[in-house]
Coordinates of all heavy atoms in Angstrom, one line a residue:
M1 N -39.0 -203.7 -76.5 CA -40.3 -203.3 -76.1 C -40.2 -201.9 -75.4 O -39.2 -201.5 -74.9 CB -41.0 -204.3 -75.1 CG -41.2 -205.6 -75.6 SD -42.2 -206.7 -74.6 CE -43.8 -206.0 -74.6
I2 N -41.3 -201.2 -75.5 CA -41.4 -199.9 -75.0 C -42.4 -199.6 -73.9 O -43.5 -200.2 -74.1 CB -41.7 -198.8 -76.2 CG1 -40.6 -199.0 -77.1 CG2 -41.9 -197.5 -75.6 CD1 -40.8 -198.1 -78.4
I3 N -42.1 -199.1 -72.7 CA -43.1 -198.9 -71.6 C -43.1 -197.4 -71.5 O -42.0 -196.7 -71.4 CB -42.6 -199.7 -70.4 CG1 -43.6 -199.5 -69.4 CG2 -41.2 -199.2 -69.9 CD1 -43.4 -200.4 -68.0
T4 N -44.4 -196.9 -71.3 CA -44.6 -195.6 -70.9 C -45.2 -195.5 -69.6 O -46.3 -196.2 -69.3 CB -45.5 -194.9 -72.0 OG1 -44.9 -195.0 -73.3 CG2 -45.8 -193.5 -71.6
L5 N -44.7 -194.8 -68.8 CA -45.2 -194.6 -67.2 C -45.2 -193.2 -66.9 O -44.5 -192.3 -67.4 CB -44.5 -195.5 -66.3 CG -43.0 -195.4 -66.2 CD1 -42.7 -195.3 -64.8 CD2 -42.5 -196.8 -66.9
Y6 N -46.0 -192.9 -65.7 CA -45.9 -191.6 -65.1 C -44.5 -191.4 -64.4 O -44.0 -192.2 -63.7 CB -47.1 -191.5 -64.1 CG -48.3 -191.4 -64.7 CD1 -49.2 -192.5 -64.9 CD2 -48.7 -190.3 -65.5 CE1 -50.4 -192.4 -65.5 CE2 -49.9 -190.1 -66.1 CZ -50.8 -191.2 -66.2 OH -51.9 -191.1 -66.7
R7 N -44.0 -190.1 -64.6 CA -42.8 -189.8 -64.0 C -42.5 -189.9 -62.5 O -41.5 -190.1 -62.0 CB -42.3 -188.4 -64.6 CG -42.1 -188.3 -65.9 CD -41.7 -187.0 -66.2 NE -40.4 -186.4 -65.8 CZ -39.5 -185.8 -66.5 NH1 -39.8 -185.4 -67.6 NH2 -38.3 -185.6 -65.9
C8 N -43.7 -189.8 -61.9 CA -43.5 -189.7 -60.3 C -43.1 -191.1 -59.8 O -42.7 -191.2 -58.6 CB -44.9 -189.4 -59.7 SG -46.3 -190.5 -60.2
Y9 N -43.1 -192.1 -60.7 CA -42.7 -193.4 -60.3 C -41.2 -193.7 -60.7 O -40.8 -194.7 -60.5 CB -43.5 -194.5 -60.8 CG -45.0 -194.5 -60.3 CD1 -46.1 -193.9 -61.1 CD2 -45.2 -194.9 -59.1 CE1 -47.3 -193.7 -60.6 CE2 -46.5 -194.8 -58.5 CZ -47.6 -194.2 -59.3 OH -48.8 -194.1 -58.8
W10 N -40.7 -192.7 -61.4 CA -39.2 -192.9 -61.8 C -38.2 -193.2 -60.8 O -37.4 -194.2 -60.9 CB -38.8 -191.6 -62.5 CG -37.3 -191.7 -63.0 CD1 -36.3 -190.9 -62.5 CD2 -36.7 -192.7 -63.8 NE1 -35.1 -191.2 -63.0 CE2 -35.3 -192.3 -63.8 CE3 -37.1 -193.6 -64.6 CZ2 -34.3 -193.1 -64.6 CZ3 -36.1 -194.4 -65.3 CH2 -34.8 -194.1 -65.4
P11 N -38.3 -192.7 -59.6 CA -37.3 -193.1 -58.6 C -37.2 -194.5 -58.2 O -36.3 -195.3 -58.1 CB -37.7 -192.3 -57.3 CG -38.4 -191.1 -57.8 CD -39.1 -191.6 -59.0
Q12 N -38.5 -195.2 -58.1 CA -38.6 -196.5 -57.9 C -38.0 -197.5 -59.0 O -37.3 -198.5 -58.8 CB -40.1 -197.0 -57.6 CG -40.3 -198.3 -57.1 CD -41.7 -198.5 -56.7 OE1 -42.6 -197.7 -56.8 NE2 -42.1 -199.7 -56.3
V13 N -38.3 -197.0 -60.2 CA -37.8 -197.7 -61.5 C -36.4 -197.5 -61.6 O -35.8 -198.4 -61.8 CB -38.7 -197.2 -62.7 CG1 -38.0 -197.7 -63.9 CG2 -40.1 -197.5 -62.6
Y14 N -35.9 -196.2 -61.4 CA -34.5 -196.0 -61.5 C -33.6 -197.0 -60.5 O -32.7 -197.5 -60.8 CB -34.2 -194.5 -61.0 CG -32.7 -194.2 -61.1 CD1 -32.1 -193.9 -62.4 CD2 -31.9 -194.1 -59.9 CE1 -30.8 -193.6 -62.3 CE2 -30.6 -193.9 -60.0 CZ -30.0 -193.6 -61.2 OH -28.6 -193.3 -61.1
N15 N -34.2 -196.9 -59.3 CA -33.5 -197.9 -58.3 C -33.5 -199.5 -58.7 O -32.4 -200.0 -58.5 CB -34.2 -197.7 -56.9 CG -33.9 -196.5 -56.2 OD1 -32.9 -195.9 -56.6 ND2 -34.7 -196.0 -55.4
Y16 N -34.5 -199.6 -59.4 CA -34.4 -201.2 -60.0 C -33.5 -201.2 -61.1 O -32.6 -202.3 -61.2 CB -35.9 -201.5 -60.5 CG -35.8 -202.8 -61.4 CD1 -35.7 -204.0 -60.9 CD2 -36.1 -202.7 -62.7 CE1 -35.6 -205.1 -61.6 CE2 -36.1 -203.7 -63.6 CZ -35.8 -205.0 -63.1 OH -35.8 -206.0 -63.9
L17 N -33.4 -200.2 -62.0 CA -32.5 -200.3 -63.3 C -31.0 -200.1 -63.0 O -30.2 -200.4 -63.7 CB -33.1 -199.4 -64.2 CG -34.4 -199.7 -64.9 CD1 -34.8 -198.5 -65.8 CD2 -34.5 -201.0 -65.6
K18 N -30.8 -199.3 -61.9 CA -29.3 -199.0 -61.6 C -28.3 -200.0 -61.6 O -27.3 -199.9 -62.2 CB -29.4 -198.1 -60.2 CG -28.1 -197.3 -60.1 CD -28.1 -196.5 -58.9 CE -26.8 -195.7 -58.7 NZ -26.7 -194.8 -57.6
P19 N -28.6 -201.2 -60.9 CA -27.6 -202.3 -61.0 C -27.4 -202.8 -62.3 O -26.3 -203.3 -62.6 CB -28.1 -203.2 -60.0 CG -29.3 -202.6 -59.3 CD -29.8 -201.4 -60.1
F20 N -28.3 -202.6 -63.3 CA -28.2 -203.2 -64.6 C -27.6 -202.1 -65.6 O -27.4 -202.3 -66.7 CB -29.6 -203.6 -65.1 CG -30.2 -204.6 -64.3 CD1 -31.3 -204.2 -63.5 CD2 -29.8 -206.0 -64.2 CE1 -32.0 -205.2 -62.8 CE2 -30.4 -206.8 -63.4 CZ -31.5 -206.6 -62.7
A21 N -27.4 -200.9 -65.1 CA -27.0 -199.8 -65.9 C -27.9 -199.6 -67.1 O -27.4 -199.2 -68.2 CB -25.5 -200.1 -66.5
L22 N -29.1 -199.8 -66.9 CA -30.2 -199.6 -68.0 C -30.9 -198.3 -67.9 O -31.7 -197.9 -68.6 CB -31.1 -200.8 -67.9 CG -30.5 -202.1 -68.2 CD1 -31.7 -203.3 -68.0 CD2 -30.1 -202.2 -69.6
E23 N -30.6 -197.5 -66.9 CA -31.3 -196.2 -66.6 C -31.2 -195.3 -68.0 O -31.9 -194.3 -68.0 CB -30.8 -195.4 -65.5 CG -29.3 -194.9 -65.4 CD -28.3 -195.9 -65.0 OE1 -28.7 -197.0 -64.8 OE2 -27.3 -195.5 -64.8
K24 N -30.2 -195.5 -68.7 CA -30.0 -194.8 -70.0 C -31.0 -195.3 -71.1 O -31.0 -194.8 -72.2 CB -28.5 -194.8 -70.5 CG -27.6 -194.2 -69.5 CD -26.2 -194.2 -70.0 CE -25.3 -193.6 -69.0 NZ -23.8 -193.7 -69.2
S25 N -31.9 -196.1 -70.8 CA -32.8 -196.6 -71.6 C -33.9 -195.7 -72.0 O -35.0 -196.0 -72.6 CB -33.4 -198.0 -71.3 OG -32.3 -198.9 -71.1
V26 N -34.0 -194.5 -71.3 CA -35.0 -193.4 -71.5 C -35.1 -193.1 -72.9 O -34.1 -192.5 -73.5 CB -34.9 -192.2 -70.5 CG1 -35.9 -191.3 -70.8 CG2 -34.9 -192.7 -69.1
V27 N -36.2 -193.1 -73.6 CA -36.3 -192.8 -75.0 C -36.9 -191.3 -75.1 O -36.4 -190.5 -75.9 CB -37.3 -193.7 -75.6 CG1 -37.7 -193.4 -77.1 CG2 -36.8 -195.3 -75.7
E28 N -37.9 -191.0 -74.3 CA -38.6 -189.8 -74.4 C -39.2 -189.4 -73.2 O -39.7 -190.2 -72.4 CB -39.6 -189.8 -75.5 CG -40.2 -188.6 -76.0 CD -41.0 -188.8 -77.3 OE1 -41.5 -189.9 -77.5 OE2 -41.2 -187.9 -78.0
T29 N -39.2 -188.2 -72.8 CA -39.9 -187.6 -71.7 C -40.7 -186.4 -72.1 O -40.4 -185.6 -73.0 CB -39.0 -187.1 -70.5 OG1 -38.3 -186.0 -70.9 CG2 -38.1 -188.2 -70.0
F30 N -41.9 -186.2 -71.4 CA -42.9 -185.2 -71.9 C -43.8 -184.9 -70.7 O -44.5 -185.9 -70.2 CB -43.6 -185.4 -73.1 CG -44.6 -184.3 -73.4 CD1 -44.1 -183.1 -74.0 CD2 -46.0 -184.4 -73.1 CE1 -44.9 -182.1 -74.3 CE2 -46.8 -183.4 -73.5 CZ -46.4 -182.2 -74.0
G31 N -43.7 -183.8 -70.0 CA -44.6 -183.5 -69.0 C -44.5 -184.6 -67.8 O -43.5 -184.7 -67.2
Y32 N -45.7 -185.1 -67.5 CA -45.7 -186.1 -66.5 C -45.4 -187.7 -66.9 O -45.6 -188.5 -66.0 CB -47.1 -186.1 -65.7 CG -47.5 -184.7 -65.2 CD1 -48.3 -183.8 -65.8 CD2 -46.8 -184.4 -64.0 CE1 -48.5 -182.5 -65.2 CE2 -47.1 -183.1 -63.5 CZ -47.9 -182.3 -64.1 OH -48.1 -181.0 -63.5
V33 N -45.1 -187.9 -68.1 CA -44.7 -189.2 -68.6 C -43.4 -189.3 -69.1 O -42.8 -188.3 -69.6 CB -45.8 -189.7 -69.6 CG1 -47.2 -189.7 -69.0 CG2 -45.8 -188.8 -70.8
F34 N -42.9 -190.6 -69.3 CA -41.7 -190.8 -69.9 C -41.7 -192.2 -70.5 O -42.5 -193.1 -69.9 CB -40.4 -190.5 -69.1 CG -40.2 -191.5 -68.0 CD1 -39.3 -192.7 -68.1 CD2 -40.8 -191.3 -66.8 CE1 -39.2 -193.4 -66.9 CE2 -40.6 -192.1 -65.7 CZ -39.8 -193.2 -65.8
T35 N -40.9 -192.6 -71.4 CA -40.9 -193.8 -72.1 C -39.5 -194.4 -72.0 O -38.5 -193.8 -72.1 CB -41.3 -193.6 -73.6 OG1 -42.5 -192.9 -73.7 CG2 -41.3 -195.0 -74.3
L36 N -39.5 -195.7 -71.8 CA -38.2 -196.5 -71.7 C -38.4 -197.6 -72.8 O -39.3 -198.2 -73.0 CB -38.2 -197.2 -70.3 CG -38.1 -196.4 -69.1 CD1 -38.3 -197.1 -67.8 CD2 -36.7 -195.7 -69.0
S37 N -37.2 -197.9 -73.3 CA -37.0 -199.0 -74.2 C -36.2 -200.1 -73.6 O -35.0 -200.0 -73.3 CB -36.3 -198.6 -75.5 OG -36.2 -199.7 -76.4
L38 N -37.0 -201.3 -73.1 CA -36.2 -202.3 -72.3 C -36.7 -203.7 -72.9 O -37.7 -203.8 -73.6 CB -36.6 -202.2 -70.9 CG -36.4 -200.9 -70.0 CD1 -37.1 -200.9 -68.8 CD2 -34.8 -200.9 -70.0
G39 N -36.0 -204.7 -72.4 CA -36.4 -206.1 -72.7 C -37.7 -206.4 -72.0 O -38.1 -205.9 -70.9
R40 N -38.3 -207.5 -72.5 CA -39.6 -207.9 -71.9 C -39.5 -208.3 -70.4 O -40.4 -207.9 -69.6 CB -40.1 -209.2 -72.7 CG -41.3 -209.7 -72.2 CD -41.9 -210.9 -73.0 NE -42.1 -210.6 -74.3 CZ -43.2 -210.2 -74.9 NH1 -44.2 -209.9 -74.1 NH2 -43.3 -210.0 -76.2
S41 N -38.4 -208.9 -70.0 CA -38.3 -209.4 -68.5 C -38.3 -208.2 -67.6 O -38.9 -208.1 -66.6 CB -37.1 -210.1 -68.3 OG -35.9 -209.5 -68.7
H42 N -37.5 -207.1 -68.1 CA -37.4 -205.8 -67.3 C -38.7 -205.1 -67.3 O -39.2 -204.6 -66.1 CB -36.4 -204.9 -67.9 CG -35.0 -205.3 -67.5 ND1 -34.5 -205.7 -66.4 CD2 -33.9 -205.8 -68.5 CE1 -33.2 -206.0 -66.5 NE2 -32.9 -206.1 -67.8
I43 N -39.5 -205.1 -68.4 CA -40.8 -204.4 -68.4 C -41.7 -205.3 -67.5 O -42.5 -204.6 -66.8 CB -41.4 -204.4 -69.9 CG1 -40.6 -203.3 -70.6 CG2 -42.8 -204.1 -69.8 CD1 -40.8 -203.1 -72.1
E44 N -41.7 -206.4 -67.5 CA -42.6 -207.3 -66.7 C -42.3 -207.0 -65.3 O -43.2 -206.8 -64.4 CB -42.5 -208.8 -67.0 CG -43.1 -209.1 -68.3 CD -42.9 -210.6 -68.7 OE1 -42.1 -211.3 -68.0 OE2 -43.3 -211.0 -69.8
T45 N -41.1 -206.9 -64.9 CA -40.7 -206.7 -63.5 C -41.1 -205.3 -63.0 O -41.8 -205.0 -61.9 CB -39.1 -206.8 -63.2 OG1 -38.7 -208.1 -63.5 CG2 -38.8 -206.5 -61.8
I46 N -40.9 -204.2 -63.9 CA -41.3 -202.9 -63.6 C -42.9 -202.9 -63.5 O -43.4 -202.3 -62.6 CB -40.9 -201.9 -64.7 CG1 -39.4 -201.8 -64.5 CG2 -41.6 -200.6 -64.5 CD1 -38.7 -201.0 -65.7
T47 N -43.7 -203.6 -64.3 CA -45.0 -203.6 -64.3 C -45.6 -204.2 -62.9 O -46.5 -203.6 -62.4 CB -45.7 -204.3 -65.4 OG1 -45.2 -203.6 -66.6 CG2 -47.1 -204.3 -65.5
K48 N -44.8 -205.2 -62.6 CA -45.2 -205.8 -61.2 C -45.0 -205.1 -60.0 O -45.7 -205.1 -59.0 CB -44.6 -207.3 -61.1 CG -45.1 -208.3 -62.1 CD -44.4 -209.5 -62.1 CE -44.7 -210.5 -63.0 NZ -44.0 -211.6 -63.1
M49 N -43.9 -204.2 -60.1 CA -43.5 -203.5 -58.9 C -44.3 -202.2 -58.8 O -44.5 -201.6 -57.7 CB -42.0 -203.0 -58.9 CG -41.7 -201.9 -59.7 SD -40.0 -201.3 -59.6 CE -39.1 -202.7 -60.0
L50 N -44.9 -201.6 -59.8 CA -45.8 -200.4 -59.7 C -47.2 -200.5 -59.5 O -47.7 -201.7 -59.9 CB -45.4 -199.6 -61.0 CG -44.1 -199.3 -61.2 CD1 -43.9 -198.5 -62.6 CD2 -43.5 -198.3 -60.2
P51 N -47.9 -199.7 -59.0 CA -49.3 -199.8 -58.6 C -50.0 -199.6 -60.0 O -49.6 -199.1 -61.0 CB -49.6 -198.6 -57.8 CG -48.5 -197.6 -57.9 CD -47.3 -198.3 -58.4
V52 N -51.3 -200.2 -60.0 CA -52.2 -200.1 -61.2 C -52.2 -198.6 -61.5 O -52.5 -197.7 -60.7 CB -53.6 -200.7 -60.8 CG1 -54.4 -200.6 -62.0 CG2 -53.4 -202.2 -60.5
G53 N -52.2 -198.4 -62.8 CA -52.3 -197.0 -63.3 C -51.1 -196.3 -63.5 O -51.0 -195.2 -64.1
A54 N -49.9 -196.9 -62.9 CA -48.6 -196.2 -63.1 C -48.1 -196.3 -64.5 O -47.5 -195.5 -65.1 CB -47.6 -196.7 -62.1
V55 N -48.3 -197.6 -65.0 CA -47.9 -197.8 -66.5 C -49.1 -197.4 -67.5 O -50.2 -197.9 -67.2 CB -47.6 -199.2 -66.7 CG1 -47.2 -199.7 -68.2 CG2 -46.5 -199.6 -65.7
I56 N -48.8 -196.4 -68.4 CA -49.8 -196.0 -69.2 C -49.9 -197.1 -70.4 O -51.0 -197.3 -70.7 CB -49.2 -194.7 -69.8 CG1 -49.1 -193.7 -68.8 CG2 -50.2 -194.3 -71.0 CD1 -48.6 -192.3 -69.2
E57 N -48.8 -197.6 -70.8 CA -48.9 -198.5 -71.9 C -47.6 -199.3 -72.1 O -46.5 -198.8 -71.8 CB -49.4 -198.0 -73.3 CG -48.3 -197.1 -74.0 CD -48.7 -196.5 -75.2 OE1 -49.7 -197.1 -75.9 OE2 -48.1 -195.6 -75.7
V58 N -47.6 -200.5 -72.8 CA -46.5 -201.3 -73.1 C -46.8 -201.7 -74.6 O -47.8 -202.2 -75.0 CB -46.4 -202.5 -72.3 CG1 -45.2 -203.4 -72.7 CG2 -46.1 -202.2 -70.8
V59 N -45.8 -201.4 -75.4 CA -45.9 -201.6 -76.9 C -44.7 -202.5 -77.3 O -43.5 -202.1 -76.9 CB -45.9 -200.3 -77.6 CG1 -46.0 -200.6 -79.1 CG2 -47.2 -199.7 -77.2
D60 N -44.9 -203.5 -78.1 CA -43.8 -204.2 -78.9 C -43.8 -203.7 -80.3 O -44.6 -203.9 -81.1 CB -44.1 -205.7 -78.9 CG -43.0 -206.5 -79.4 OD1 -42.0 -205.9 -79.9 OD2 -43.0 -207.7 -79.2
P61 N -42.8 -202.8 -80.5 CA -42.8 -202.2 -81.8 C -42.6 -203.2 -83.0 O -43.0 -202.8 -84.1 CB -41.5 -201.3 -81.9 CG -41.1 -201.2 -80.5 CD -41.6 -202.3 -79.8
G62 N -42.3 -204.4 -82.7 CA -42.3 -205.5 -83.7 C -43.7 -206.0 -84.1 O -43.8 -206.8 -85.1
Q63 N -44.6 -205.7 -83.4 CA -46.1 -206.0 -83.5 C -46.9 -205.1 -84.3 O -47.9 -204.7 -84.0 CB -46.8 -206.4 -82.2 CG -46.0 -207.4 -81.4 CD -46.1 -208.7 -81.9 OE1 -47.2 -209.1 -82.6 NE2 -45.2 -209.7 -81.6
G64 N -46.3 -204.6 -85.4 CA -47.1 -203.8 -86.3 C -46.7 -202.3 -86.1 O -45.7 -202.0 -85.4
N65 N -47.5 -201.5 -86.6 CA -47.3 -200.0 -86.6 C -48.1 -199.2 -85.7 O -48.5 -198.1 -86.0 CB -47.4 -199.4 -88.2 CG -46.2 -199.9 -89.0 OD1 -45.2 -200.3 -88.5 ND2 -46.6 -200.0 -90.3
K66 N -48.4 -199.8 -84.6 CA -49.4 -199.1 -83.6 C -48.7 -197.9 -83.2 O -47.5 -197.9 -82.7 CB -49.6 -200.0 -82.5 CG -50.5 -199.5 -81.4 CD -50.7 -200.4 -80.3 CE -51.6 -199.8 -79.3 NZ -51.1 -199.3 -78.2
T67 N -49.4 -196.9 -83.1 CA -48.8 -195.6 -82.7 C -48.8 -195.5 -81.1 O -49.8 -196.1 -80.6 CB -49.7 -194.4 -83.2 OG1 -49.7 -194.5 -84.6 CG2 -49.1 -193.1 -82.7
L68 N -47.7 -195.1 -80.5 CA -47.7 -195.0 -79.1 C -48.7 -194.0 -78.6 O -48.9 -193.0 -79.2 CB -46.3 -194.6 -78.7 CG -45.1 -195.6 -79.0 CD1 -43.9 -195.1 -78.6 CD2 -45.5 -197.0 -78.1
E69 N -49.2 -194.2 -77.4 CA -50.1 -193.2 -76.9 C -49.4 -192.0 -76.6 O -50.0 -190.8 -76.7 CB -50.8 -193.9 -75.5 CG -51.7 -192.9 -75.0 CD -52.5 -193.6 -73.7 OE1 -52.7 -194.8 -73.8 OE2 -52.9 -192.9 -73.0
L70 N -48.1 -192.0 -76.1 CA -47.3 -190.9 -75.9 C -47.2 -190.0 -77.2 O -47.2 -188.7 -77.1 CB -46.0 -191.2 -75.4 CG -45.1 -190.0 -75.0 CD1 -45.6 -189.1 -74.0 CD2 -43.6 -190.6 -74.6
D71 N -47.0 -190.6 -78.4 CA -47.0 -189.8 -79.6 C -48.3 -189.1 -79.9 O -48.3 -188.0 -80.3 CB -46.7 -190.7 -80.8 CG -45.3 -191.4 -80.7 OD1 -44.4 -190.7 -80.2 OD2 -45.1 -192.4 -81.4
E72 N -49.4 -189.7 -79.5 CA -50.7 -189.1 -79.7 C -50.8 -187.8 -78.8 O -51.5 -186.8 -79.1 CB -51.8 -190.0 -79.4 CG -52.0 -191.2 -80.5 CD -52.3 -190.5 -81.9 OE1 -53.1 -189.6 -82.0 OE2 -51.7 -191.1 -82.8
I73 N -50.3 -188.1 -77.7 CA -50.4 -186.9 -76.6 C -49.5 -185.8 -77.0 O -50.0 -184.6 -77.0 CB -50.0 -187.4 -75.1 CG1 -50.9 -188.4 -74.6 CG2 -49.8 -186.2 -74.3 CD1 -50.4 -189.2 -73.4
L74 N -48.4 -186.1 -77.5 CA -47.5 -185.0 -78.1 C -48.1 -184.3 -79.2 O -48.0 -183.0 -79.3 CB -46.2 -185.7 -78.4 CG -45.3 -186.1 -77.3 CD1 -44.0 -186.8 -77.8 CD2 -44.9 -185.1 -76.3
R75 N -48.7 -185.2 -80.2 CA -49.3 -184.6 -81.3 C -50.5 -183.7 -80.9 O -50.7 -182.6 -81.6 CB -50.0 -185.6 -82.2 CG -48.9 -186.0 -83.4 CD -49.6 -186.9 -84.4 NE -48.5 -187.8 -84.8 CZ -48.4 -189.1 -84.3 NH1 -49.4 -189.5 -83.5 NH2 -47.4 -189.8 -84.8
S76 N -51.3 -184.0 -79.9 CA -52.4 -183.2 -79.4 C -51.9 -181.9 -78.8 O -52.6 -180.9 -78.9 CB -53.3 -184.0 -78.4 OG -52.6 -183.9 -77.2
Y77 N -50.7 -181.7 -78.4 CA -50.1 -180.5 -77.9 C -49.3 -179.8 -79.0 O -48.7 -178.8 -78.8 CB -49.2 -180.8 -76.8 CG -50.0 -181.0 -75.5 CD1 -50.2 -182.3 -75.0 CD2 -50.4 -179.9 -74.6 CE1 -50.9 -182.5 -73.8 CE2 -51.2 -180.1 -73.5 CZ -51.4 -181.4 -73.0 OH -52.0 -181.6 -72.0
G78 N -49.2 -180.4 -80.2 CA -48.5 -179.7 -81.4 C -47.0 -179.9 -81.2 O -46.3 -179.1 -81.9
V79 N -46.6 -180.9 -80.4 CA -45.1 -181.0 -80.1 C -44.5 -182.0 -81.2 O -43.4 -181.7 -81.5 CB -44.9 -181.5 -78.7 CG1 -43.4 -181.8 -78.4 CG2 -45.3 -180.4 -77.7
N80 N -45.2 -182.9 -81.4 CA -44.7 -184.0 -82.3 C -45.3 -184.2 -83.6 O -46.0 -185.3 -83.8 CB -44.7 -185.4 -81.4 CG -43.8 -186.4 -82.1 OD1 -43.1 -186.3 -82.9 ND2 -44.1 -187.8 -81.7
D81 N -45.2 -183.3 -84.4 CA -46.0 -183.3 -85.7 C -45.1 -184.0 -86.8 O -44.2 -183.4 -87.2 CB -46.4 -181.9 -86.2 CG -47.5 -181.3 -85.2 OD1 -48.3 -181.9 -84.8 OD2 -47.3 -180.1 -85.1
D82 N -45.5 -185.2 -87.1 CA -44.7 -185.9 -88.2 C -45.3 -185.6 -89.6 O -46.2 -185.4 -89.8 CB -44.8 -187.4 -87.9 CG -44.2 -187.8 -86.6 OD1 -43.2 -187.2 -86.2 OD2 -44.5 -188.9 -86.0

């Protein structure tokens, strides 16, 4: 699964992930947001630890071809033209 959240919450998420050595799960960063690819249980824990609005979206790539909101943001800036 993929979770996209605001970068200002990275220290809190990093401290949670550090014991699991999962901090290298960062998939993409852009401006004020970044995306992590993690298992469902880690995403659920992160979602519960952060305030409402910190998580932009959670996507299960196996559930169809839904475009990530981050991809749409990047396209709007002309950064990610596929």
Side-chain angles (χ1 to χ4, degrees):
M1 294 185 72
I2 297 172
I3 183 172
T4 301
L5 54 129
Y6 288 102
R7 290 180 70 138
C8 60
Y9 296 101
W10 173 243
Q12 190 173 355
V13 173
Y14 177 83
N15 288 333
Y16 164 72
L17 295 175
K18 192 172 181 179
F20 304 107
L22 296 174
E23 68 274 9
K24 294 180 182 174
S25 298
V26 175
V27 173
E28 189 168 24
T29 65
F30 179 75
Y32 295 107
V33 298
F34 68 95
T35 302
L36 297 163
S37 178
L38 300 167
R40 181 180 300 275
S41 63
H42 290 298
I43 288 178
E44 288 173 357
T45 301
I46 289 169
T47 302
K48 289 176 186 174
M49 82 167 60
L50 297 177
V52 173
V55 175
I56 297 171
E57 71 180 345
V58 176
V59 176
D60 185 350
Q63 298 292 333
N65 293 332
K66 180 180 183 256
T67 303
L68 294 176
E69 186 171 331
L70 180 58
D71 290 338
E72 290 299 322
I73 293 169
L74 292 172
R75 270 192 215 96
S76 73
Y77 283 97
V79 176
N80 192 17
D81 295 323
D82 292 334

